[in-house]
Amino acid sequence: MGNNEGQRLLKNPTSSEHQTTSSSDCPEVRIPFPVFFAVGALSLAENLLVVAAVIWNRNLHSPMYCFICSLAAFNTVASLAKTCENLTMALADAGQLRMAGSSETKMDDVVDSLLCMSFVGSISSILAIAVDRYITIFHALRYHNIMTMRRTGAVLAVIWTACGVLAVPMVAFFRFNFIKIVLVVFFFASLAIICFLYVYMFMLALIHARRIAALPAGGGRKYHRQGRRGGNMRGALTLTILFAAFLVCWAPFFLHLIILMLCPTDPYCECYRSLFELHVLLMMSHALVDPAIYAFRSAELRHTFRKMFCS
């Protein structure tokens, strides 16, 4: 990434005014290039594997796994963009590639647009998954009428089109605080909606579980309802873990944006901004953690992975 805030999405402002008015005893934390490259390459391989598994196994052609596949695809976009950028920077540092000022700026803008697209798409996919889980748990009898594959495809088309269209102007006009405010508001509004859905799901599920437990024992129907709801809640728990991972990996960057707007020259804020490369590594790690959660929590995906590698 470059350092001009007007042209870069993720870097600190480094204008001469900022340099002369800001003083801090906190040195900038540097992450070695091999770490960035390894995380990017590994997350790229993992997310491509998830996408391939969902496409390969017809049993995974359901709305929930389509949304999971969308999340993995957005992670793939981010991983591919950062891996290509890191490789280009390494070649440039080694003298194997000459980077002119305009070409470097254009490359940074493309990478920033893809990262912005990946962020908005990831949280939109997680939100879609949360809504799907809610319908699965509390409208089970009408689920297949509500969440048809056609509607799922329409939702995914809207998400991908909107993310692709909005990413470019967001990067182009990022120098204006309005864009930063929009991103921060979108982030926290999405978190609030997802938290509300999950809390509501778990509270109602607890009430339903107590009612089922109060029914006369020995009924096969009661066992079937408990098993089905237990499976659905396990899926909701998996997505709660996904949401928590997203929050941990992306929240530091949005705190970085808030600090950038509120105190761009304060030395104490500069100490937090000195951790910028660590925030970028956390963002990249999100694409690395998600597939591990899928593989660990989803028996169907684990089975698909084994068949893909052992066939």
Side-chain angles (χ1 to χ4, degrees), residues 148-161:
T148 63
M149 289 303 293
R150 177 174 294 183
R151 288 179 180 172
T152 300
V155 171
L156 290 175
V158 170
I159 290 175
W160 279 85
T161 302

Side-chain angles (χ1 to χ4, degrees), residues 174-239:
F174 192 74
R175 62 184 179 276
F176 299 108
N177 281 340
F178 172 75
I179 298 297
K180 300 185 187 74
I181 293 172
V182 168
L183 280 173
V184 171
V185 169
F186 172 74
F187 178 71
F188 285 106
S190 299
L191 295 189
I193 294 172
I194 295 172
C195 283
F196 171 77
L197 285 175
Y198 283 150
V199 170
Y200 188 63
M201 276 192 287
F202 283 115
M203 288 181 63
L204 288 185
L206 182 61
I207 294 173
H208 281 291
R210 289 175 178 174
R211 289 176 179 174
I212 292 173
L215 294 176
R221 187 176 181 181
K222 174 182 175 181
Y223 177 81
H224 174 71
R225 291 176 64 188
Q226 285 179 324
R228 183 179 64 185
R229 191 169 296 276
N232 288 335
M233 288 309 299
R234 179 177 174 83
L237 181 60
T238 299
L239 300 174

Side-chain angles (χ1 to χ4, degrees), residues 135 186 215 229 234 240 268 283 310:
I135 297 173
F186 172 74
L215 294 176
R229 191 169 296 276
R234 179 177 174 83
T240 303
Y268 294 102
M283 286 162 40
C310 298

Side-chain angles (χ1 to χ4, degrees), residues 35-293:
V35 175
F36 275 118
F37 187 81
V39 171
L42 185 57
S43 61
L44 177 61
E46 284 186 350
N47 284 283
L48 283 176
L49 182 61
V50 172
V51 174
V54 174
I55 295 174
W56 186 72
N57 188 350
R58 291 184 178 273
N59 293 331
L60 299 179
H61 293 181
S62 64
M64 184 189 75
Y65 282 106
C66 286
F67 291 133
I68 287 178
C69 183
S70 174
L71 178 59
F74 278 116
N75 287 338
T76 300
V77 170
S79 300
L80 182 62
K82 286 302 295 180
T83 300
C84 290
E85 184 194 42
N86 289 336
L87 183 59
T88 302
M89 291 174 62
L91 292 174
D93 292 341
Q96 301 296 321
L97 182 65
R98 184 176 179 180
M99 295 290 293
S102 60
S103 62
E104 182 182 0
T105 298
K106 290 178 181 178
M107 186 189 74
D108 277 335
D109 287 343
V110 170
V111 171
D112 290 341
S113 297
L114 291 175
L115 288 175
C116 185
M117 173 183 171
S118 174
F119 158 71
V120 178
S122 294
I123 199 167
S124 298
S125 297
I126 293 175
L127 184 57
I129 293 171
V131 173
D132 177 79
R133 287 296 88 194
Y134 174 83
I135 297 173
T136 302
I137 294 173
F138 299 108
H139 300 280
L141 297 179
R142 296 192 300 129
Y143 174 78
H144 293 291
N145 294 327
I146 298 174
M147 291 300 298
T148 63
M149 289 303 293
R150 177 174 294 183
R151 288 179 180 172
T152 300
V155 171
L156 290 175
V158 170
I159 290 175
W160 279 85
T161 302
C163 292
V165 170
L166 293 176
V168 175
M170 280 186 176
V171 172
F173 298 102
F174 192 74
R175 62 184 179 276
F176 299 108
N177 281 340
F178 172 75
I179 298 297
K180 300 185 187 74
I181 293 172
V182 168
L183 280 173
V184 171
V185 169
F186 172 74
F187 178 71
F188 285 106
S190 299
L191 295 189
I193 294 172
I194 295 172
C195 283
F196 171 77
L197 285 175
Y198 283 150
V199 170
Y200 188 63
M201 276 192 287
F202 283 115
M203 288 181 63
L204 288 185
L206 182 61
I207 294 173
H208 281 291
R210 289 175 178 174
R211 289 176 179 174
I212 292 173
L215 294 176
R221 187 176 181 181
K222 174 182 175 181
Y223 177 81
H224 174 71
R225 291 176 64 188
Q226 285 179 324
R228 183 179 64 185
R229 191 169 296 276
N232 288 335
M233 288 309 299
R234 179 177 174 83
L237 181 60
T238 299
L239 300 174
T240 303
I241 297 173
L242 286 176
F243 169 68
F246 181 88
L247 181 62
V248 169
C249 292
W250 280 92
F253 168 69
F254 279 89
L255 181 57
H256 178 96
L257 284 187
I258 294 172
I259 287 177
L260 199 62
M261 290 185 289
L262 297 180
C263 53
T265 60
D266 187 271
Y268 294 102
C269 295
E270 184 67 22
C271 279
Y272 184 81
R273 290 198 301 272
S274 68
L275 302 174
F276 173 75
E277 289 196 5
L278 181 59
H279 303 159
V280 175
L281 185 63
L282 276 175
M283 286 162 40
M284 294 176 62
S285 298
H286 174 248
L288 182 66
V289 170
D290 275 355
I293 298 174

